[in-house]
Amino acid sequence: MTFNPLQERGIPLDKQLRNWRELNVTPTDPDHADPYTRCRIITMNGIEVEAIMFSHHLARHCPDVEIKQQLARVRYIEAQQQKVVNWLLPGLASVLETTIAYEQVAVDLTAWVARMEPDPYLQQAYQFGVLEDFDHLYRYANLYEMIEHRKAEKIVDQLTEVMPGRPTFMHHRNPIDNVREPYDRSTAAPISKLHALTIMAAEQQTMNFYMNVGPTYMEPIARQLYQEIGLIEEEHVTHYESLVDPGESWWEMLMNHEYNECYLYHSFMETESDPKVKNIWELHLNMELEHLRLAVEMFKRFDGRDPEEVLAPELPAPVTFEPNKAYLRELIATQIDYTTLGTGYVQEAHERFEKMQEAIMGGEKAPPRSGSSTTTAPRTAASTGCRPRASTRSTASPPTADPAAPGSAPRWARARARDPLALR
């Protein structure tokens, strides 16, 4: 059944305010809840946080008091939604258990988006990032086993594999090589815009989470790991936010945010297994329909365009949390040794990458990359089949790596051997 949020009427804004009793929701049961229910909760918390922060940024650039007041009214409701969603997480979970759940979201949500993304360049951006999230899950799982003496497989319920991805030391790149080319707002498929906003918001909340919880541990190895992966999350937010066309007006961006919230709440309402949580998704969807209507009014007023020029006429197929084991294993077999150069991707180390590695490792050079050579010139962004900074879009696939290349496994094995968290 099709669903067009532009033709639906939600709850009037002045009827959306909830009291403390309504906000104080019962958390999910960590021992019996579907792990993907927790993933949906974490995802929607990130989406709501992004909606709130975007509204604040818009208000800071808006001189019209009346518009700022309307933004404040909607934003307060968004803040209530965020509290309800995030308070669904059980207080019994440790910070590290929640961290592993965050990485399960990053892995399975990004993998699903990569599978569904129609634009080859954007798809490559998600494929690149998910292999790093995969290794973060592996490293936190080993920390969990070391500190709490339990297996992460219990948390992810075997839905997501816990195994090495792209080795974490390879994630530290020169900041300029984390910036990607944006989609073109005039030609991009509506689903591509929704994908970009979704993954940007999910990675942003992970970055914020690690910023704050990292120093709460006493164990030096935990503090070090959160610091390292926290810096990589900064890279990921740069990576994903640069996919969004900066030519979109404030009102277009606001409308896209509200539409994306409708899309995700509708998706999770359709796929949720927990009846109580499903009721919250449905309630919030009916709130977001009104937020979207108000955003559409401002878009028409200030941009003077029809929203159908920008938004999909109906919601795409629901976002689905599901296992992506075969897909991820294929990416590991073909793209594990990728890094970035400019706005493209290469398989060899290059000068900027090596200098960043030397600097961040404190002058100690990182282990060589698989297939790298100090005498081989790196492939250019164009030669990988990924789009250079030009208007012509390439649809060719990037080159594949040979996971069985001579010497590749021993190099990674030596790197893992020096990693105290490489327990498996």
Side-chain angles (χ1 to χ4, degrees):
M1 183 176 66
T2 62
F3 185 89
N4 184 352
L6 297 176
Q7 295 178 351
E8 301 289 336
R9 297 304 294 265
I11 301 169
L13 191 61
D14 59 4
K15 302 292 185 183
Q16 293 189 13
L17 190 67
R18 284 175 279 182
N19 60 34
W20 296 122
R21 179 180 55 80
E22 295 170 300
L23 294 176
N24 189 26
V25 294
T26 302
T28 55
D29 184 339
D31 294 324
H32 300 97
D34 180 350
Y36 281 152
T37 292
R38 183 179 55 225
C39 287
R40 286 184 280 268
I41 291 168
I42 291 171
T43 299
M44 288 316 306
N45 182 64
I47 295 298
E48 290 291 359
V49 169
E50 165 61 22
I52 293 165
M53 296 312 299
F54 174 79
S55 178
H56 275 297
H57 287 302
L58 173 52
R60 293 168 192 175
H61 290 80
C62 180
D64 189 304
V65 173
E66 181 183 350
I67 296 300
K68 292 175 78 155
Q69 290 172 340
Q70 178 167 309
L71 290 171
R73 292 178 65 208
V74 173
R75 189 167 60 245
Y76 191 84
I77 301 302
E78 301 273 19
Q80 286 200 333
Q81 290 177 328
Q82 184 272 327
K83 301 301 180 292
V84 167
V85 170
N86 208 25
W87 266 243
L88 286 170
L89 293 178
L92 294 173
S94 69
V95 168
L96 194 45
E97 286 174 319
T98 302
T99 295
I100 290 169
Y102 267 54
E103 293 298 344
Q104 184 179 25
V105 170
V107 169
D108 279 330
L109 181 62
T110 309
W112 186 90
V113 165
R115 287 167 46 207
M116 302 301 161
E117 175 55 52
D119 184 300
Y121 182 82
L122 300 176
Q123 181 184 61
Q124 178 63 73
Y126 303 127
Q127 291 174 335
F128 180 81
V130 74
L131 286 186
E132 300 192 342
D133 293 321
F134 201 56
D135 204 62
H136 299 170
L137 174 61
Y138 164 77
R139 289 174 65 83
Y140 281 125
N142 288 333
L143 182 66
Y144 183 60
E145 185 175 344
M146 177 181 288
I147 292 179
E148 301 193 24
H149 309 293
R150 288 183 284 178
K151 295 282 190 180
E153 283 81 358
K154 172 65 175 176
I155 300 174
V156 300
D157 198 27
Q158 307 290 341
L159 297 168
T160 310
E161 287 189 293
V162 179
M163 57 186 287
R166 180 178 298 120
T168 301
F169 69 82
M170 293 169 130
H171 304 179
H172 301 286
R173 298 172 287 274
N174 187 295
I176 68 174
D177 293 315
N178 291 317
V179 178
R180 313 263 60 80
E181 278 285 311
Y183 60 68
D184 184 335
R185 64 187 177 91
S186 62
T187 59
I191 187 62
S192 294
K193 301 177 184 180
L194 302 179
H195 285 164
L197 282 177
T198 298
I199 301 302
M200 178 189 73
E203 291 289 335
Q204 177 179 255
Q205 78 157 338
T206 305
M207 177 187 72
N208 293 341
F209 185 62
Y210 297 168
M211 280 180 176
N212 288 287
V213 304
T216 63
Y217 275 95
M218 292 181 62
E219 295 87 352
I221 195 169
R223 296 169 67 87
Q224 292 166 7
L225 185 63
Y226 275 96
Q227 188 172 77
E228 178 179 17
I229 296 182
L231 278 172
I232 294 164
E233 298 301 341
E234 155 59 29
E235 293 188 307
H236 284 188
V237 175
T238 299
H239 177 82
Y240 291 123
E241 72 185 4
S242 60
L243 298 176
V244 178
D245 190 337
E248 293 174 348
S249 72
W250 283 103
W251 314 110
E252 185 173 352
M253 288 189 285
L254 177 63
M255 190 170 63
N256 284 339
H257 274 77
E258 299 295 357
Y259 191 94
N260 194 42
E261 288 184 87
C262 290
Y263 172 47
L264 290 169
Y265 275 127
H266 184 269
S267 293
F268 294 165
M269 181 185 73
E270 292 289 299
T271 57
E272 182 56 64
S273 58
D274 185 318
K276 291 182 180 179
V277 176
K278 181 173 183 174
N279 288 339
I280 291 174
W281 301 152
E282 184 175 10
L283 173 62
H284 286 190
L285 171 62
N286 282 297
M287 293 177 170
E288 292 298 344
L289 290 171
E290 174 69 0
H291 301 175
L292 175 61
R293 185 186 70 79
L294 295 171
V296 165
E297 287 183 356
M298 284 192 279
F299 177 76
K300 290 178 178 177
R301 176 180 170 186
F302 296 110
D303 272 26
R305 290 186 284 160
D306 192 320
E308 279 81 2
E309 296 177 30
V310 176
L311 304 175
E314 61 187 47
L315 291 182
V319 174
T320 305
F321 273 99
E322 60 190 24
N324 293 275
K325 296 178 182 179
Y327 183 74
L328 287 162
R329 281 177 174 262
E330 179 184 357
L331 293 180
I332 287 172
T334 57
Q335 299 190 26
I336 196 168
D337 63 345
Y338 278 24
T339 190
T340 55
L341 177 60
T343 58
Y345 304 86
V346 294
Q347 286 178 277
E348 294 88 356
H350 54 84
E351 185 177 4
R352 277 202 303 266
F353 176 83
E354 291 180 337
K355 285 185 175 180
M356 184 67 180
Q357 288 276 301
E358 291 172 7
I360 197 70
M361 304 297 177
E364 181 179 345
K365 197 168 184 179
R369 294 168 55 80
S370 167
S372 66
S373 170
T374 55
T375 60
T376 303
R379 291 186 178 94
T380 64
S383 72
T384 65
C386 295
R387 184 176 58 175
R389 293 190 66 87
S391 58
T392 303
R393 301 179 64 85
S394 171
T395 58
S397 298
T400 58
D402 179 7
S408 61
R411 289 190 184 107
W412 295 349
R414 287 197 297 273
R416 294 288 186 196
R418 292 197 297 272
D419 177 6
L421 290 179
L423 305 179
R424 296 161 187 253

